[in-house]
Amino acid sequence: MDTDPAIQCSDCQACCCQLPVRVLPGDAPPEHFLDEDEDGYLIMAKADDGWCVALDREQMCCGIYEQRPFVCREFAMGGGDCAEVRDDWRRIALSLR
Ligand code: SF4
Ligand code: SF4
């Protein structure tokens, strides 16, 4: 998979941590961070502002890095989905100015 080395999580507002995250068999995030979606699937819970509850708000990075679900582990920094979610974020931020 092609990734853009110019894109770094350290230079990002953790945009991808607002995306829905399904928790799969074999994942083991702390139970108090779990929720169920409308179809009854296990997901990472979200705070009222839309970010995953496991996000470390001071560092703006995953607060359960070693236990993060498969979906998060597969989300490549600088990959196509990452670039797309960053573009969406930028568009929304500009529209709010
Ligand atoms: S993976 Fe991409 S969207 Fe997610 S925090 Fe890192 S740079 Fe931002
Ligand atoms: S578990 Fe970690 S990497 Fe995954 S969405 Fe939540 S804060 Fe982000």
Side-chain angles (χ1 to χ4, degrees):
M1 183 203 320
D2 286 342
T3 57
D4 180 350
I7 297 179
Q8 297 290 321
C9 295
S10 56
D11 182 30
C12 181
Q13 290 297 304
C15 314
C16 57
C17 296
Q18 289 203 350
L19 297 174
V21 174
R22 180 85 57 88
V23 176
L24 302 174
D27 288 338
E31 275 188 31
H32 60 281
F33 288 143
L34 298 179
D35 200 357
E36 263 184 23
D37 69 12
E38 60 274 10
D39 298 316
Y41 288 106
L42 214 51
I43 57 171
M44 290 301 293
K46 283 177 178 271
D48 289 344
D49 60 7
W51 262 296
C52 174
V53 291
L55 182 69
D56 176 334
R57 298 294 182 125
E58 285 185 14
Q59 308 291 329
M60 292 308 276
C61 64
C62 184
I64 56 163
Y65 190 76
E66 297 300 328
Q67 292 170 281
R68 69 199 192 285
F70 177 79
V71 168
C72 304
R73 284 183 269 130
E74 286 295 292
F75 197 91
M77 177 174 73
D81 291 342
C82 163
E84 197 174 313
V85 76
R86 284 166 57 105
D87 284 347
D88 287 348
W89 180 273
R90 205 170 298 120
R91 260 194 300 276
I92 291 167
L94 286 174
S95 74
L96 294 175
R97 279 188 182 169

